[in-house]
């Protein structure tokens, strides 16, 4: 089953004004359940629009959005429930924090769901531990934390709603490498431990390669490519034609192949590359 | 040897409020030559941004000495005029592109700096046109900043600094909030300023891809200089960098891993084509030996 | 979407009015307002209508746009009309209609028409002269330079002008940011639509707090950035664009002077139902 699906969906911003702009144009996308899917594309390729349509913040101008095979706009009055089922973490989510304490801020979403006190408490604790927030931080003001910790609080605030699908728009933007690895691996861990679906928007091919099982490449308001990291990266020439960079080792393999060596080009991690070059050296020595 | 334009001697800095107990900079020593392009690499909280703010005189050192253009910075014994004159020779571009543009029209914003220092009107016009040309934003001169992308805004901010004709420009994580395209445009602009105009560049970043493009990389961790050298020298210390929590180019890491497995190709390549060349050379050498 | 709100209402162009010195436009706009109140009879109003139509044509702005801008005035216009319609012209008045205790005089009808016309002209004239044809930044420049003498009595004119510029610069950014925060809180299940007044006011807290915090941070960063660009207040500052009067501005002065003279003459010799 697919976790979510867009069928024949278009979205036009500021319709009937001089600023009218087509963000996505008649697209069909299916997001597989219980995996981490990455969406990559340039600014303006329509990836943020897709994420906002999935949780009902934007209503498509045309087409249907299905979450668990149900049209989310069949009952427009109940759209708030869709937002609980499909959690959306915006870019730089730390700018949405407002409560006096870390605990209260994480509890904001569950509270809006109308859950009981004990249920809220349980969810806040679970979400906090998933992102690495310890109990001694609960009573701190979120504004006294560093940027990386603020972001974790904000992400926990959405995780606490326990959405079946968690969408994150560039969760690692602006973080240093250590902070980036920490956040991304926690997100993957969230997916595994809650058996949910994660959709992650990113600008970094390297991050996608490490953390995602499937990659959706968007270009020009349309899906451009979809597949496993190996499948996607093996088409490096096509990716470069839409201005997207492939990981350095993938480029190296493509370069070696162009120079006449028989190497695989669906490689995207250092470990894979090492094995492949070791093989090449060995066989090269033989023939 | 070229003139030393920035020099730090035993530089220490500590914030006065209670939020930070540990000093941000601890006895930092540094010399930067005129006309060089230096990348300062470090993770968040390493003290790299504090160094930038000290060099730009936004912050005052707790102890130690700082020399700019061969002159010791001592705010107490400097007249206000001397202070401002010195400051005009250093420009700074910040992280958030939105929080540094002040005017409602691009060219008016670029003119802001020269206007402040009392440049005659005709010359401001010339400087503004020049600056926008250098950053490639002439076509947007009459636009309003909020119509621009992050990368474009940042280039306008750079133009605003160029128009002041500073000898040193500090980029304080100016690429952190941009998408890859915007980052690349900004970096190309930085390289151009350094190459064509001889501007000394101090580029603060945590992206190793950007540091590779500099002449010299300084790695700061816990307020001290950990590594200092050409990108090739610095990035070959793969283990140290990883321990600090910084990235290394994939190919450098790959070559080191091969080296450790007894495949001695070359350890210090930084780019794809360099690595491919090294692998090719190794393969040829091997097949010759076989014959 | 919030960001679609247009501000400043400036229509870029290259007409006679666009190219006038903003200072002169500001001065002439004040004179124009004075004239509207000096004008007394139908004839002098007719003259102003002709003049206003003339400048609208010269500005290249469509009449339709002007009418649209008058829409918000509709209630004031109706109110003014009704109020003046029952104006008591006294014994000399020509009675048109008697409705019980209410009497409508011909003078009342004319008065109602002229009063409404005055409001319409006030709006149409000033928007065309100032808002539609002058960019906010040159308007700020004009205000700064015209009021510069006030610096002598310690009124910080430059500071006020700088504040205006910054407000204009950051309003679109602020709106965009507000929209982002609204969306983020909506995604966390915030409900801004239901509940009583207090509940709705409370629902705004999650928007207002992040907004305030980010504005304070912005103010701080902006101050540092401005300082780094050698900003030290208005003293010793030069400007890239120096305003200067051209023949165009003197022609405009002449036109307004003629209008003024025309109104004074008509008021005196041919008022025709003066109000």
């Amino acid at each position: 089953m697919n976790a979510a699906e867009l069928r024949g969906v278009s979205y036009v911003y500021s319709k009937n004004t001089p600023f009218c702009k087509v963000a996505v144009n008649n697209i069909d996308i299916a997001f597989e359940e219980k995996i981490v899917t990455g969406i990559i594309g340039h600014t303006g390729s329509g990836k943020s629009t897709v994420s906002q349509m999935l949780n009902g913040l934007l209503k498509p101008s045309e087409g249907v959005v299905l979450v668990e095979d149900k049209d989310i706009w069949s009952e427009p009055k109940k759209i708030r429930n869709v937002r609980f089922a499909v959690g959306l973490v915006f870019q730089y989510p730390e700018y949405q924090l407002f409560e006096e304490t870390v605990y209260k801020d994480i509890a904001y979403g569950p509270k809006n769901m109308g859950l009981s006190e004990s249920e809220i408490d349980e969810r806040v604790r679970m979400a906090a531990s998933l992102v690495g927030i310890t109990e001694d931080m609960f009573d701190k003001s979120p504004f006294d934390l560093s940027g990386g910790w603020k972001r974790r609080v904000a992400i926990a605030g959405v995780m606490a709603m326990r959405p079946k699908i968690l969408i994150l728009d560039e969760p690692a933007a602006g973080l240093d490498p250590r902070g980036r690895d920490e956040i991304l691996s926690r997100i993957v861990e969230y997916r595994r431990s809650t058996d949910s679906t994660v959709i992650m928007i990113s600008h970094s091919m390297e991050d996608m390669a490490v953390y995602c099982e499937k990659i959706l490449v968007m270009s020009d308001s349309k899906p451009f490519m979809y597949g496993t990291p190996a499948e996607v990266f093996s088409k490096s020439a096509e990716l470069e034609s839409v201005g997207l960079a492939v990981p350095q080792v993938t480029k190296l393999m493509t370069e070696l192949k162009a120079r006449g060596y028989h190497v695989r080009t669906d490689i995207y991690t250092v470990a894979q590359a090492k094995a492949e070059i070791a093989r090449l050296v060995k066989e090269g020595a033989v023939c | 040897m070229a003139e030393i334009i920035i020099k730090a001697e035993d530089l220490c800095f500590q914030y006065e409020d209670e939020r930070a107990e540990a000093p941000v900079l601890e006895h930092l020593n540094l010399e930067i030559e005129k006309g060089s392009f230096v990348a300062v690499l470090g993770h968040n909280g390493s003290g790299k941004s504090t160094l930038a703010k000290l060099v730009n005189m936004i912050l005052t050192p707790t102890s130690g000495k700082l020399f700019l253009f061969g002159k010791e910075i001592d705010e107490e014994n400097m007249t206000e005029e001397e202070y401002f004159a010195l400051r005009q020779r250093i420009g700074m571009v910040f992280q958030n592109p939105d929080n540094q543009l002040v005017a409602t029209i691009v060219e008016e914003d670029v003119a802001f700096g020269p206007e402040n220092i009392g440049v005659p009107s005709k010359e401001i016009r010339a400087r503004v046109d020049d600056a926008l040309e250098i950053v490639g934003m002439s076509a947007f001169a009459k636009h309003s900043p909020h119509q621009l992308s992050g990368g474009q805004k940042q280039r306008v901010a750079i133009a605003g600094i160029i128009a002041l004709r500073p000898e040193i420009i500090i980029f304080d994580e100016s690429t952190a909030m941009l998408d890859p395209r915007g980052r690349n445009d900004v970096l190309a602009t930085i390289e151009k300023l350094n190459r064509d105009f001889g501007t000394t560049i101090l580029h603060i970043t945590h992206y190793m891809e950007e540091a590779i493009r500099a002449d010299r990389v300084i790695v700061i961790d816990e307020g001290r200089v950990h590594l200092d050298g050409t990108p090739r020298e610095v990035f070959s210390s793969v283990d140290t960098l990883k321990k600090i929590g910084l990235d290394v180019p994939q190919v450098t890491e790959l070559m080191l891993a091969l080296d450790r497995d007894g495949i001695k190709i070359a350890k210090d390549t930084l780019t794809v084509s360099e690595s491919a060349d090294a692998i090719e050379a190794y393969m040829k050498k091997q097949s010759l030996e076989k014959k | 979407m919030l960001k679609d709100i247009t501000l400043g209402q400036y229509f870029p162009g290259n007409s006679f009015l666009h190219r006038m010195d903003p200072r002169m436009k500001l001065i002439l706009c004040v004179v124009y307002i004075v004239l509207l109140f000096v004008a007394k009879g139908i004839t002098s109003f007719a003259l102003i209508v002709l003049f206003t139509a003339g400048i609208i044509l010269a500005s290249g702005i469509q009449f339709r746009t002007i009418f649209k801008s008058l829409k918000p005035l509709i209630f004031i216009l109706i109110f003014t009309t009704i109020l003046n319609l029952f104006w008591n012209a006294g014994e000399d008045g020509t009675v048109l209609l008697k409705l019980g205790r209410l009497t409508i005089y011909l003078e009342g009808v004319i008065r109602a028409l002229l009063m409404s016309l005055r409001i319409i002209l006030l709006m149409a004239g000033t928007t065309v002269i100032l808002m539609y044809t002058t960019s906010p930044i040159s308007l700020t420049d004009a205000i700064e330079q015209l009021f510069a003498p006030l610096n002598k009595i310690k009124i910080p004119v430059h500071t006020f002008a700088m504040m205006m510029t910054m407000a204009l610069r950051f309003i679109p950014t602020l709106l965009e940011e507000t929209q982002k925060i609204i969306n983020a809180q909506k995604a966390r299940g915030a409900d801004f639509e239901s509940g009583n007044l207090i509940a709705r006011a409370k629902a705004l807290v999650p928007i207002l707090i992040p907004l305030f915090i980010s504005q304070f941070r912005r103010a701080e960063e902006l101050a540092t950035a401005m300082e780094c660009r050698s900003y030290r207040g208005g003293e010793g500052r030069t400007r890239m664009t120096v305003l200067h009067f051209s023949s165009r501005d003197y022609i405009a002065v002449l036109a307004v002077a003629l209008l003024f003279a025309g109104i004074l003459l008509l008021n005196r010799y041919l008022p025709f139902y003066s109000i």
Side-chain angles (χ1 to χ4, degrees):
Chain A
M1 197 172 79
N2 289 322
E5 213 180 323
L6 303 181
R7 279 197 200 142
V9 166
S10 298
Y11 189 84
V12 185
Y13 276 103
S14 313
K15 214 171 182 174
N16 303 327
T17 74
F19 309 102
C20 166
K21 186 181 167 291
V22 181
V24 292
N25 193 3
N26 190 21
I27 57 169
D28 297 288
I29 306 174
F31 292 97
E32 291 170 51
E33 62 167 6
K34 296 177 183 177
I35 59 166
V36 180
T37 303
I39 309 183
I40 197 161
H42 279 298
T43 310
S45 63
K47 53 195 187 350
S48 291
T49 309
V50 166
S51 65
Q52 291 189 44
M53 284 196 292
L54 283 173
N55 91 331
L57 271 178
L58 294 178
K59 193 178 177 184
S61 317
E62 258 168 74
V64 286
V65 180
L66 303 168
V67 170
E68 295 192 314
D69 294 332
K70 197 171 160 260
D71 180 358
I72 62 167
W73 288 100
S74 59
E75 289 172 280
K77 285 204 171 133
K78 290 190 178 163
I79 198 69
R80 222 155 71 97
N81 292 338
V82 175
R83 293 184 192 143
F84 298 134
V86 185
L88 177 56
V89 179
F90 280 88
Q91 206 174 358
Y92 299 107
E94 55 274 27
Y95 292 150
Q96 76 194 24
L97 301 176
F98 71 98
E99 279 285 12
E100 296 151 53
T101 68
V102 168
Y103 183 93
K104 278 191 189 169
D105 211 292
I106 302 177
Y108 178 68
K111 230 179 183 168
N112 283 331
M113 297 169 81
L115 301 172
S116 70
E117 282 295 320
S118 61
E119 175 82 346
I120 292 175
D121 185 66
E122 192 250 307
R123 287 187 173 208
V124 170
R125 283 170 199 281
M126 179 211 78
S129 78
L130 274 170
V131 296
I133 294 170
T134 48
E135 280 190 25
D136 57 302
M137 295 172 76
F138 281 178
D139 291 329
K140 281 193 178 165
S141 161
F143 303 110
D144 289 339
L145 304 176
S146 73
W149 282 105
K150 274 188 199 157
R151 182 159 310 173
R152 290 192 205 194
V153 174
I155 293 177
V158 177
M159 285 179 175
M161 303 195 305
R162 228 171 261 179
K164 287 175 195 148
I165 305 174
L166 177 65
I167 308 173
L168 303 108
D169 192 348
E170 298 229 35
L175 296 181
D176 60 20
R178 191 181 280 167
R180 172 201 67 202
D181 291 340
E182 175 83 36
I183 289 272
L184 295 180
S185 52
R186 296 244 177 219
I187 291 165
V188 173
E189 175 56 25
Y190 164 85
R191 200 222 62 72
R192 204 192 51 77
S193 66
T194 57
D195 202 25
S196 52
T197 305
V198 167
I199 298 169
M200 198 159 82
I201 296 175
S202 170
H203 276 309
S204 162
M205 279 291 188
E206 282 83 1
D207 293 350
M208 292 266 158
V210 179
Y211 298 102
C212 300
E213 282 134 281
K214 286 284 171 68
I215 296 175
L216 171 70
V217 183
M218 301 238 349
S219 175
D220 244 351
S221 319
K222 280 197 160 149
F224 178 73
M225 220 186 264
Y226 178 76
T228 61
E231 285 163 2
V232 169
F233 292 135
S234 64
K235 294 171 192 150
S236 56
E238 279 161 272
L239 287 171
E240 274 167 1
S241 75
V242 293
L244 291 171
V246 295
Q248 243 192 341
V249 287
T250 315
K251 260 194 216 160
L252 176 64
M253 292 301 159
T254 315
E255 175 76 32
L256 286 173
K257 188 163 189 164
R259 294 189 187 188
Y261 295 96
H262 294 287
V263 287
R264 281 167 50 201
T265 54
D266 59 348
I267 273 165
Y268 53 91
T269 67
V270 172
Q272 292 169 342
K274 192 184 109 183
E276 186 66 6
I277 291 183
R279 186 191 61 78
L280 177 72
V281 167
K282 222 173 175 183
E283 286 172 14
V286 170
C287 64
Chain B
M1 203 168 128
E3 178 195 336
I4 301 296
I5 200 164
I6 304 170
K7 186 174 172 188
E9 265 182 25
D10 257 344
L11 203 61
C12 292
F13 183 81
Q14 184 154 21
Y15 283 99
E16 274 167 19
D17 55 8
E18 74 286 2
R19 69 188 154 118
E21 306 95 37
V24 183
L25 288 185
E26 284 193 89
H27 306 284
L28 190 111
N29 289 294
L30 197 63
E31 282 186 355
I32 288 172
E33 288 172 16
K34 193 180 167 147
S36 56
F37 174 7
V38 179
V40 179
L41 200 60
H43 61 74
N44 294 341
S46 60
K48 61 185 193 306
S49 276
T50 307
L51 175 66
K53 292 196 175 79
L54 284 169
V55 174
N56 198 31
M57 297 188 279
I58 295 172
L59 298 175
T60 320
T62 317
S63 69
K65 285 179 181 172
L66 179 71
F67 298 86
L68 294 172
F69 311 101
K71 248 181 121 169
E72 187 179 348
I73 305 304
D74 181 5
E75 266 172 72
E76 279 166 27
N77 294 320
M78 259 161 61
T79 66
E80 200 177 322
E81 285 316 307
E82 277 177 324
Y83 175 80
F84 279 106
L86 209 56
R87 197 167 205 185
Q88 270 173 40
R89 299 170 72 182
I90 308 166
M92 183 139 164
V93 181
F94 296 84
Q95 182 177 27
N96 190 332
D98 255 327
N99 297 356
Q100 39 188 332
L101 303 182
V102 292
T104 47
I105 295 171
V106 165
E107 62 174 16
E108 292 280 348
D109 188 85
V110 178
F112 180 73
E115 287 179 341
N116 290 336
I117 56 171
V119 175
S121 304
K122 262 194 186 151
E123 201 194 324
I124 298 181
R125 181 80 256 173
R127 283 191 185 198
V128 168
D129 292 343
D130 271 1
L132 283 172
E133 179 75 43
I134 293 168
V135 301
M137 289 294 290
S138 302
F140 297 88
K142 304 274 181 201
H143 279 60
S144 143
H146 81 272
Q147 297 169 316
L148 307 179
S149 72
Q152 290 173 329
K153 279 184 208 165
Q154 208 62 305
R155 273 147 68 202
V156 172
I158 297 174
I161 298 298
I162 301 174
L164 277 162
R165 307 266 157 93
E167 290 149 72
I168 304 172
I169 303 183
I170 305 165
F171 293 85
D172 188 8
E173 300 202 46
S174 313
T175 53
M177 292 180 77
L178 307 180
D179 62 9
R181 204 174 267 180
R183 262 164 60 190
N184 205 32
D185 288 345
V186 166
L187 217 61
T189 310
I190 294 177
E191 282 174 335
K192 186 172 177 183
L193 286 174
N194 178 251
R195 189 185 57 227
D196 299 351
F197 301 91
T199 314
T200 308
I201 306 281
L202 204 60
H203 181 49
I204 317 282
T205 184
H206 54 241
Y207 293 110
M208 59 87 190
E209 306 93 300
E210 295 176 5
I212 288 172
R213 292 162 75 164
D215 307 330
R216 176 175 165 200
V217 180
I218 297 171
V219 177
I220 293 197
D221 195 45
E222 290 174 346
R224 291 165 192 273
V225 174
H226 263 241
L227 295 167
D228 184 353
T230 62
R232 201 177 298 285
E233 287 160 6
V234 167
F235 285 107
S236 60
S237 311
V238 174
D239 296 330
T240 315
L241 287 166
K242 287 213 150 183
K243 211 172 78 202
I244 294 174
L246 293 170
D247 284 338
V248 280
Q250 275 190 329
V251 288
T252 316
E253 202 184 332
L254 171 69
M255 295 312 222
L256 185 80
L258 287 168
D259 187 80
R260 287 199 177 137
D261 274 11
I263 303 169
K264 308 278 177 202
I265 295 179
K267 265 198 294 185
D268 57 354
T269 60
L270 289 176
T271 66
V272 168
S273 58
E274 267 175 21
S275 312
D277 289 345
I279 293 171
E280 200 166 30
Y282 182 84
M283 297 289 291
K284 279 185 181 147
K285 201 179 99 201
Q286 268 210 329
S287 57
L288 275 178
E289 277 170 15
K290 266 266 145 17
K291 277 172 191 169
Chain C
M1 294 271 271
L2 276 173
K3 67 173 175 190
D4 294 342
I5 301 172
T6 46
L7 287 147
Q9 296 291 322
Y10 171 60
F11 291 90
N14 209 16
S15 73
F16 184 90
L17 263 88
H18 282 91
R19 282 150 67 189
M20 267 176 72
D21 186 311
R23 290 175 300 175
M24 191 54 93
K25 279 200 268 190
L26 202 62
I27 295 168
L28 293 182
C29 197
V30 173
V31 176
Y32 176 86
I33 294 168
V34 171
L35 281 180
L36 279 176
F37 288 90
V38 169
K40 288 243 155 14
I42 292 178
T43 45
S44 37
F45 270 97
L47 190 61
I48 302 183
V49 168
L50 280 177
F51 178 82
T52 310
I55 58 170
I56 294 174
L57 282 174
S59 72
I61 288 171
Q62 294 188 337
F63 279 94
R64 215 179 45 194
T65 319
I66 312 270
F67 287 128
K68 259 194 196 159
S69 72
L70 295 176
K71 255 191 201 158
L73 289 181
I74 208 112
F75 286 105
I76 300 174
L77 286 175
I78 292 171
F79 186 73
T80 314
T81 310
I82 293 173
L83 210 68
N84 285 291
L85 210 52
F86 300 112
W87 187 70
N88 192 340
E91 305 213 335
D92 302 336
T94 321
V95 179
L96 279 184
L97 196 66
K98 262 186 184 304
L99 295 163
R101 293 173 60 192
L102 291 170
T103 315
I104 295 180
Y105 295 91
L106 175 64
E107 287 80 3
V109 175
I110 289 169
R111 192 180 167 85
L113 285 175
L114 291 187
M115 283 297 198
S116 304
L117 194 60
R118 183 179 277 166
I119 294 171
I120 292 173
L121 288 170
L122 190 69
M123 185 74 179
T126 51
T127 48
V128 171
I129 300 174
L130 278 181
M131 296 308 172
Y132 287 172
T133 63
T134 319
S135 72
I137 195 141
S138 41
L139 198 57
T140 317
D141 276 355
I143 293 170
E144 184 178 351
Q145 296 196 17
L146 277 179
F147 290 96
L150 291 181
N151 273 323
K152 293 216 173 70
I153 52 165
K154 301 258 186 263
I155 295 176
V157 179
H158 167 77
T159 313
F160 283 128
M162 197 66 214
M163 276 162 59
M164 262 174 79
T165 312
M166 301 270 252
L168 288 166
R169 156 75 183 91
F170 285 104
I171 286 168
T173 317
L174 185 69
L175 291 175
E176 216 172 287
E177 220 165 79
T178 312
Q179 184 69 54
K180 268 189 205 157
I181 296 172
I182 290 176
N183 279 344
Q185 305 302 23
K186 265 190 184 171
R188 293 210 279 166
D191 186 2
F192 306 119
E193 277 105 35
S194 54
N196 58 22
L197 210 61
I198 296 169
R200 281 189 203 201
K202 264 177 129 175
L204 290 179
V205 170
I207 298 173
L208 294 178
I209 290 179
L211 207 56
F212 273 114
I213 289 172
S214 76
Q215 292 328 301
F216 279 121
R217 190 187 41 238
R218 161 160 302 142
E220 209 181 304
E221 287 184 24
L222 205 54
T224 315
M226 285 169 74
E227 209 186 310
C228 286
R229 290 169 76 181
S230 301
Y231 183 65
R232 296 158 77 183
E235 230 170 291
R237 238 179 149 246
T238 47
R239 299 306 311 266
M240 175 168 70
T241 32
V242 182
L243 299 174
H244 51 86
F245 294 128
S246 64
S247 55
R248 203 173 290 117
D249 299 295
Y250 299 120
I251 293 171
V253 171
L254 191 66
V256 174
L258 285 175
L259 178 69
F260 208 136
I263 286 167
L264 289 180
L265 286 174
L266 288 173
N267 270 349
R268 191 177 168 91
Y269 298 107
L270 196 69
F272 201 60
Y273 288 106
S274 187
I275 55 169

